Each structure stands twice: as structure tokens, then as C-alpha cells.
Amino acid sequence: MRYEYRIKSDIIRDEQDTEHEVYGIAAYDITTNTPIKIIGDIFCEREAAEWFISLCNRLGLSIEQLDEAVEDVICA
């Protein structure tokens, strides 16, 4: 199975009920165009999410490595 990573955005509310857009990553099966795995709320900035997703796609990151890659980028 081949994957394509795409950006996922969500709106969250803070304690003051202010809305914020946050970004995550979604792995899609390129054959069926269906999401296989979604990890939301990783980044506050769209540019950072786009950079990470581009890197994952360029490196051909396997879905088994995705959790560890997300953990690494959060801790960096």
C-alpha cells in the first residue's frame, strides 16, 4: 500500500473560548483516496505543518514510522 501525507486542520477553543486553527497530518491510501491514519493538533502554524508533510512525502515515510516522526518533531 502506498501513502500520501496531507495536511489536516481543525478549529479548537481555548479557556477564553477563542478559536484557534491547528494542523495535523493525515495519511491517505493513494489507490482509494481514503484516510488510513490521522494525527491532529500537532502544529499551530500552517507553514510548519506543510514543511513536515512535505518531508514525510519526500522521504517516503512509512505509516509505521509516522507516530515516531510526529513525536520527534514535537520534541525538537
Side-chain angles (χ1 to χ4, degrees):
M1 185 179 304
R2 293 200 38 210
Y3 310 101
E4 177 184 51
Y5 296 103
R6 301 180 193 168
I7 199 163
K8 164 138 179 34
S9 65
D10 292 299
I11 302 294
I12 61 170
R13 293 182 181 271
D14 63 19
E15 302 83 32
Q16 290 78 33
D17 208 32
T18 304
E19 290 185 349
H20 301 276
E21 191 165 16
V22 293
Y23 305 94
I25 187 169
Y28 278 77
D29 178 328
I30 62 170
T31 306
T32 61
N33 198 35
T34 55
I36 304 299
K37 182 171 192 159
I38 298 171
I39 304 174
D41 194 9
I42 304 168
F43 302 97
C44 294
E45 291 133 12
R46 185 177 185 89
E47 295 80 20
E50 289 172 344
W51 170 83
F52 180 68
I53 291 165
S54 174
L55 181 65
C56 291
N57 283 322
R58 196 169 56 249
L59 295 176
L61 187 76
S62 73
I63 201 160
E64 294 81 16
Q65 298 170 307
L66 183 58
D67 288 325
E68 187 174 341
V70 168
E71 183 178 322
D72 288 348
V73 79
I74 289 172
C75 294

mmCIF file of all heavy atoms in Angstrom, residues 35-68:
data_model
loop_
_atom_site.group_PDB
_atom_site.id
_atom_site.type_symbol
_atom_site.label_atom_id
_atom_site.label_comp_id
_atom_site.label_asym_id
_atom_site.label_seq_id
_atom_site.Cartn_x
_atom_site.Cartn_y
_atom_site.Cartn_z
ATOM 1 N N PRO A 35 -8.555 8.092 3.977
ATOM 2 C CA PRO A 35 -7.615 8.275 5.080
ATOM 3 C C PRO A 35 -7.383 6.965 5.829
ATOM 4 O O PRO A 35 -8.320 6.224 6.105
ATOM 5 C CB PRO A 35 -8.299 9.308 5.966
ATOM 6 C CG PRO A 35 -9.736 9.264 5.606
ATOM 7 C CD PRO A 35 -9.823 8.769 4.199
ATOM 8 N N ILE A 36 -6.128 6.703 6.114
ATOM 9 C CA ILE A 36 -5.737 5.490 6.829
ATOM 10 C C ILE A 36 -5.433 5.817 8.291
ATOM 11 O O ILE A 36 -5.779 5.079 9.197
ATOM 12 C CB ILE A 36 -4.485 4.849 6.185
ATOM 13 C CG1 ILE A 36 -4.731 4.563 4.716
ATOM 14 C CG2 ILE A 36 -4.053 3.605 6.930
ATOM 15 C CD1 ILE A 36 -5.859 3.613 4.443
ATOM 16 N N LYS A 37 -4.775 6.960 8.501
ATOM 17 C CA LYS A 37 -4.398 7.368 9.848
ATOM 18 C C LYS A 37 -4.382 8.890 9.892
ATOM 19 O O LYS A 37 -3.894 9.538 8.973
ATOM 20 C CB LYS A 37 -3.017 6.823 10.206
ATOM 21 C CG LYS A 37 -2.589 7.161 11.608
ATOM 22 C CD LYS A 37 -1.331 6.415 11.977
ATOM 23 C CE LYS A 37 -1.104 6.559 13.471
ATOM 24 N NZ LYS A 37 -0.256 5.535 14.002
ATOM 25 N N ILE A 38 -4.912 9.448 10.974
ATOM 26 C CA ILE A 38 -4.952 10.897 11.151
ATOM 27 C C ILE A 38 -4.407 11.225 12.537
ATOM 28 O O ILE A 38 -4.806 10.622 13.526
ATOM 29 C CB ILE A 38 -6.383 11.436 11.015
ATOM 30 C CG1 ILE A 38 -6.930 11.156 9.611
ATOM 31 C CG2 ILE A 38 -6.430 12.931 11.329
ATOM 32 C CD1 ILE A 38 -8.407 11.456 9.450
ATOM 33 N N ILE A 39 -3.489 12.177 12.569
ATOM 34 C CA ILE A 39 -2.974 12.695 13.830
ATOM 35 C C ILE A 39 -3.188 14.204 13.782
ATOM 36 O O ILE A 39 -2.582 14.898 12.977
ATOM 37 C CB ILE A 39 -1.484 12.372 14.040
ATOM 38 C CG1 ILE A 39 -1.245 10.861 13.946
ATOM 39 C CG2 ILE A 39 -1.008 12.916 15.382
ATOM 40 C CD1 ILE A 39 0.216 10.464 13.994
ATOM 41 N N GLY A 40 -4.061 14.693 14.637
ATOM 42 C CA GLY A 40 -4.395 16.110 14.627
ATOM 43 C C GLY A 40 -3.668 16.891 15.699
ATOM 44 O O GLY A 40 -2.995 16.329 16.563
ATOM 45 N N ASP A 41 -3.795 18.206 15.602
ATOM 46 C CA ASP A 41 -3.319 19.138 16.630
ATOM 47 C C ASP A 41 -1.834 18.954 16.954
ATOM 48 O O ASP A 41 -1.449 18.801 18.103
ATOM 49 C CB ASP A 41 -4.176 18.999 17.890
ATOM 50 C CG ASP A 41 -3.985 20.137 18.874
ATOM 51 O OD1 ASP A 41 -3.313 21.131 18.514
ATOM 52 O OD2 ASP A 41 -4.481 20.031 20.001
ATOM 53 N N ILE A 42 -1.002 19.001 15.913
ATOM 54 C CA ILE A 42 0.441 18.897 16.094
ATOM 55 C C ILE A 42 1.089 20.279 16.034
ATOM 56 O O ILE A 42 1.974 20.587 16.812
ATOM 57 C CB ILE A 42 1.081 18.001 15.008
ATOM 58 C CG1 ILE A 42 0.437 16.625 14.985
ATOM 59 C CG2 ILE A 42 2.586 17.898 15.207
ATOM 60 C CD1 ILE A 42 0.811 15.791 13.773
ATOM 61 N N PHE A 43 0.623 21.098 15.094
ATOM 62 C CA PHE A 43 1.239 22.394 14.825
ATOM 63 C C PHE A 43 0.237 23.532 14.977
ATOM 64 O O PHE A 43 -0.939 23.371 14.662
ATOM 65 C CB PHE A 43 1.780 22.440 13.385
ATOM 66 C CG PHE A 43 2.785 21.386 13.072
ATOM 67 C CD1 PHE A 43 2.409 20.217 12.430
ATOM 68 C CD2 PHE A 43 4.120 21.558 13.405
ATOM 69 C CE1 PHE A 43 3.340 19.236 12.123
ATOM 70 C CE2 PHE A 43 5.057 20.584 13.104
ATOM 71 C CZ PHE A 43 4.669 19.422 12.467
ATOM 72 N N CYS A 44 0.742 24.684 15.395
ATOM 73 C CA CYS A 44 -0.069 25.902 15.438
ATOM 74 C C CYS A 44 0.092 26.716 14.155
ATOM 75 O O CYS A 44 -0.754 27.545 13.843
ATOM 76 C CB CYS A 44 0.330 26.771 16.633
ATOM 77 S SG CYS A 44 -0.036 25.995 18.208
ATOM 78 N N GLU A 45 1.182 26.488 13.438
ATOM 79 C CA GLU A 45 1.461 27.236 12.215
ATOM 80 C C GLU A 45 1.360 26.335 10.996
ATOM 81 O O GLU A 45 1.963 25.260 10.946
ATOM 82 C CB GLU A 45 2.852 27.863 12.296
ATOM 83 C CG GLU A 45 2.928 28.971 13.327
ATOM 84 C CD GLU A 45 4.158 28.821 14.203
ATOM 85 O OE1 GLU A 45 5.027 28.015 13.871
ATOM 86 O OE2 GLU A 45 4.207 29.510 15.224
ATOM 87 N N ARG A 46 0.599 26.788 10.028
ATOM 88 C CA ARG A 46 0.385 26.024 8.808
ATOM 89 C C ARG A 46 1.707 25.729 8.082
ATOM 90 O O ARG A 46 1.909 24.642 7.564
ATOM 91 C CB ARG A 46 -0.585 26.756 7.882
ATOM 92 C CG ARG A 46 -0.933 25.959 6.653
ATOM 93 C CD ARG A 46 -1.963 26.671 5.775
ATOM 94 N NE ARG A 46 -2.347 25.801 4.680
ATOM 95 C CZ ARG A 46 -3.336 24.931 4.715
ATOM 96 N NH1 ARG A 46 -4.091 24.826 5.795
ATOM 97 N NH2 ARG A 46 -3.617 24.167 3.679
ATOM 98 N N GLU A 47 2.604 26.708 8.049
ATOM 99 C CA GLU A 47 3.875 26.531 7.339
ATOM 100 C C GLU A 47 4.686 25.381 7.927
ATOM 101 O O GLU A 47 5.321 24.624 7.191
ATOM 102 C CB GLU A 47 4.704 27.820 7.367
ATOM 103 C CG GLU A 47 4.085 28.969 6.616
ATOM 104 C CD GLU A 47 2.986 29.689 7.398
ATOM 105 O OE1 GLU A 47 2.931 29.580 8.657
ATOM 106 O OE2 GLU A 47 2.146 30.336 6.745
ATOM 107 N N ALA A 48 4.684 25.250 9.244
ATOM 108 C CA ALA A 48 5.411 24.153 9.894
ATOM 109 C C ALA A 48 4.790 22.809 9.519
ATOM 110 O O ALA A 48 5.507 21.839 9.249
ATOM 111 C CB ALA A 48 5.419 24.338 11.400
ATOM 112 N N ALA A 49 3.479 22.757 9.485
ATOM 113 C CA ALA A 49 2.787 21.515 9.104
ATOM 114 C C ALA A 49 3.089 21.164 7.656
ATOM 115 O O ALA A 49 3.359 20.002 7.335
ATOM 116 C CB ALA A 49 1.286 21.665 9.318
ATOM 117 N N GLU A 50 3.056 22.167 6.775
ATOM 118 C CA GLU A 50 3.349 21.920 5.358
ATOM 119 C C GLU A 50 4.774 21.415 5.170
ATOM 120 O O GLU A 50 5.017 20.506 4.373
ATOM 121 C CB GLU A 50 3.106 23.185 4.539
ATOM 122 C CG GLU A 50 1.636 23.519 4.417
ATOM 123 C CD GLU A 50 1.375 24.873 3.776
ATOM 124 O OE1 GLU A 50 2.317 25.707 3.680
ATOM 125 O OE2 GLU A 50 0.218 25.102 3.364
ATOM 126 N N TRP A 51 5.730 22.002 5.910
ATOM 127 C CA TRP A 51 7.122 21.557 5.823
ATOM 128 C C TRP A 51 7.233 20.097 6.246
ATOM 129 O O TRP A 51 7.869 19.286 5.571
ATOM 130 C CB TRP A 51 8.009 22.438 6.716
ATOM 131 C CG TRP A 51 9.393 21.893 6.846
ATOM 132 C CD1 TRP A 51 10.428 22.056 5.970
ATOM 133 C CD2 TRP A 51 9.867 21.035 7.885
ATOM 134 N NE1 TRP A 51 11.524 21.362 6.420
ATOM 135 C CE2 TRP A 51 11.212 20.724 7.603
ATOM 136 C CE3 TRP A 51 9.293 20.511 9.037
ATOM 137 C CZ2 TRP A 51 11.983 19.906 8.414
ATOM 138 C CZ3 TRP A 51 10.060 19.698 9.848
ATOM 139 C CH2 TRP A 51 11.382 19.399 9.536
ATOM 140 N N PHE A 52 6.620 19.745 7.380
ATOM 141 C CA PHE A 52 6.698 18.379 7.898
ATOM 142 C C PHE A 52 6.057 17.381 6.938
ATOM 143 O O PHE A 52 6.622 16.319 6.658
ATOM 144 C CB PHE A 52 6.028 18.305 9.273
ATOM 145 C CG PHE A 52 6.047 16.940 9.885
ATOM 146 C CD1 PHE A 52 7.239 16.365 10.307
ATOM 147 C CD2 PHE A 52 4.871 16.225 10.057
ATOM 148 C CE1 PHE A 52 7.271 15.095 10.877
ATOM 149 C CE2 PHE A 52 4.891 14.967 10.631
ATOM 150 C CZ PHE A 52 6.086 14.398 11.033
ATOM 151 N N ILE A 53 4.902 17.718 6.417
ATOM 152 C CA ILE A 53 4.201 16.819 5.490
ATOM 153 C C ILE A 53 4.999 16.644 4.206
ATOM 154 O O ILE A 53 5.126 15.534 3.686
ATOM 155 C CB ILE A 53 2.770 17.336 5.232
ATOM 156 C CG1 ILE A 53 1.956 17.174 6.520
ATOM 157 C CG2 ILE A 53 2.120 16.617 4.063
ATOM 158 C CD1 ILE A 53 0.666 17.944 6.541
ATOM 159 N N SER A 54 5.568 17.716 3.712
ATOM 160 C CA SER A 54 6.415 17.635 2.521
ATOM 161 C C SER A 54 7.611 16.715 2.771
ATOM 162 O O SER A 54 7.958 15.888 1.921
ATOM 163 C CB SER A 54 6.884 19.033 2.131
ATOM 164 O OG SER A 54 7.804 18.970 1.072
ATOM 165 N N LEU A 55 8.216 16.847 3.931
ATOM 166 C CA LEU A 55 9.353 15.994 4.289
ATOM 167 C C LEU A 55 8.937 14.524 4.350
ATOM 168 O O LEU A 55 9.621 13.653 3.812
ATOM 169 C CB LEU A 55 9.929 16.439 5.633
ATOM 170 C CG LEU A 55 11.133 15.659 6.142
ATOM 171 C CD1 LEU A 55 12.336 15.845 5.219
ATOM 172 C CD2 LEU A 55 11.470 16.094 7.559
ATOM 173 N N CYS A 56 7.816 14.247 4.990
ATOM 174 C CA CYS A 56 7.322 12.863 5.080
ATOM 175 C C CYS A 56 7.083 12.272 3.700
ATOM 176 O O CYS A 56 7.452 11.122 3.424
ATOM 177 C CB CYS A 56 6.043 12.805 5.907
ATOM 178 S SG CYS A 56 6.272 13.147 7.659
ATOM 179 N N ASN A 57 6.465 13.044 2.815
ATOM 180 C CA ASN A 57 6.205 12.562 1.449
ATOM 181 C C ASN A 57 7.506 12.377 0.668
ATOM 182 O O ASN A 57 7.681 11.373 -0.034
ATOM 183 C CB ASN A 57 5.270 13.516 0.711
ATOM 184 C CG ASN A 57 3.837 13.353 1.144
ATOM 185 O OD1 ASN A 57 3.365 12.254 1.388
ATOM 186 N ND2 ASN A 57 3.138 14.469 1.263
ATOM 187 N N ARG A 58 8.416 13.333 0.787
ATOM 188 C CA ARG A 58 9.683 13.268 0.050
ATOM 189 C C ARG A 58 10.520 12.063 0.485
ATOM 190 O O ARG A 58 11.155 11.404 -0.342
ATOM 191 C CB ARG A 58 10.446 14.574 0.255
ATOM 192 C CG ARG A 58 11.553 14.813 -0.713
ATOM 193 C CD ARG A 58 12.131 16.220 -0.673
ATOM 194 N NE ARG A 58 12.617 16.614 0.650
ATOM 195 C CZ ARG A 58 12.051 17.546 1.417
ATOM 196 N NH1 ARG A 58 10.985 18.193 1.007
ATOM 197 N NH2 ARG A 58 12.556 17.840 2.595
ATOM 198 N N LEU A 59 10.514 11.765 1.785
ATOM 199 C CA LEU A 59 11.295 10.637 2.306
ATOM 200 C C LEU A 59 10.584 9.294 2.147
ATOM 201 O O LEU A 59 11.177 8.250 2.405
ATOM 202 C CB LEU A 59 11.622 10.862 3.782
ATOM 203 C CG LEU A 59 12.526 12.041 4.096
ATOM 204 C CD1 LEU A 59 12.681 12.212 5.596
ATOM 205 C CD2 LEU A 59 13.881 11.873 3.427
ATOM 206 N N GLY A 60 9.317 9.326 1.764
ATOM 207 C CA GLY A 60 8.565 8.084 1.646
ATOM 208 C C GLY A 60 8.345 7.414 2.993
ATOM 209 O O GLY A 60 8.408 6.191 3.107
ATOM 210 N N LEU A 61 8.096 8.231 4.010
ATOM 211 C CA LEU A 61 7.911 7.723 5.369
ATOM 212 C C LEU A 61 6.795 6.680 5.403
ATOM 213 O O LEU A 61 5.696 6.911 4.890
ATOM 214 C CB LEU A 61 7.555 8.882 6.307
ATOM 215 C CG LEU A 61 7.493 8.548 7.782
ATOM 216 C CD1 LEU A 61 8.913 8.425 8.337
ATOM 217 C CD2 LEU A 61 6.725 9.611 8.529
ATOM 218 N N SER A 62 7.077 5.549 6.019
ATOM 219 C CA SER A 62 6.047 4.511 6.140
ATOM 220 C C SER A 62 5.070 4.891 7.247
ATOM 221 O O SER A 62 5.409 5.627 8.175
ATOM 222 C CB SER A 62 6.676 3.149 6.441
ATOM 223 O OG SER A 62 7.130 3.102 7.770
ATOM 224 N N ILE A 63 3.883 4.375 7.159
ATOM 225 C CA ILE A 63 2.864 4.682 8.159
ATOM 226 C C ILE A 63 3.272 4.152 9.534
ATOM 227 O O ILE A 63 2.904 4.723 10.556
ATOM 228 C CB ILE A 63 1.487 4.157 7.709
ATOM 229 C CG1 ILE A 63 0.386 4.902 8.455
ATOM 230 C CG2 ILE A 63 1.377 2.672 7.901
ATOM 231 C CD1 ILE A 63 -0.940 4.835 7.791
ATOM 232 N N GLU A 64 4.077 3.095 9.551
ATOM 233 C CA GLU A 64 4.558 2.547 10.820
ATOM 234 C C GLU A 64 5.519 3.504 11.525
ATOM 235 O O GLU A 64 5.679 3.433 12.745
ATOM 236 C CB GLU A 64 5.246 1.190 10.599
ATOM 237 C CG GLU A 64 4.328 0.085 10.131
ATOM 238 C CD GLU A 64 4.041 0.128 8.626
ATOM 239 O OE1 GLU A 64 4.760 0.804 7.877
ATOM 240 O OE2 GLU A 64 3.066 -0.524 8.211
ATOM 241 N N GLN A 65 6.148 4.378 10.781
ATOM 242 C CA GLN A 65 7.105 5.340 11.343
ATOM 243 C C GLN A 65 6.465 6.678 11.702
ATOM 244 O O GLN A 65 7.116 7.528 12.299
ATOM 245 C CB GLN A 65 8.237 5.589 10.345
ATOM 246 C CG GLN A 65 9.049 4.362 10.015
ATOM 247 C CD GLN A 65 9.975 4.617 8.849
ATOM 248 O OE1 GLN A 65 9.546 5.063 7.798
ATOM 249 N NE2 GLN A 65 11.259 4.349 9.053
ATOM 250 N N LEU A 66 5.210 6.863 11.340
ATOM 251 C CA LEU A 66 4.572 8.171 11.489
ATOM 252 C C LEU A 66 4.500 8.640 12.939
ATOM 253 O O LEU A 66 4.846 9.786 13.231
ATOM 254 C CB LEU A 66 3.171 8.163 10.856
ATOM 255 C CG LEU A 66 2.429 9.491 10.876
ATOM 256 C CD1 LEU A 66 3.223 10.581 10.168
ATOM 257 C CD2 LEU A 66 1.055 9.329 10.246
ATOM 258 N N ASP A 67 4.061 7.804 13.858
ATOM 259 C CA ASP A 67 3.958 8.210 15.258
ATOM 260 C C ASP A 67 5.302 8.689 15.804
ATOM 261 O O ASP A 67 5.381 9.720 16.491
ATOM 262 C CB ASP A 67 3.427 7.074 16.132
ATOM 263 C CG ASP A 67 1.951 6.798 15.903
ATOM 264 O OD1 ASP A 67 1.209 7.756 15.656
ATOM 265 O OD2 ASP A 67 1.552 5.626 15.981
ATOM 266 N N GLU A 68 6.352 7.954 15.495
ATOM 267 C CA GLU A 68 7.685 8.318 15.985
ATOM 268 C C GLU A 68 8.151 9.631 15.350
ATOM 269 O O GLU A 68 8.754 10.474 16.034
ATOM 270 C CB GLU A 68 8.680 7.211 15.696
ATOM 271 C CG GLU A 68 10.023 7.463 16.328
ATOM 272 C CD GLU A 68 10.973 6.280 16.172
ATOM 273 O OE1 GLU A 68 10.534 5.159 15.906
ATOM 274 O OE2 GLU A 68 12.176 6.520 16.333
#
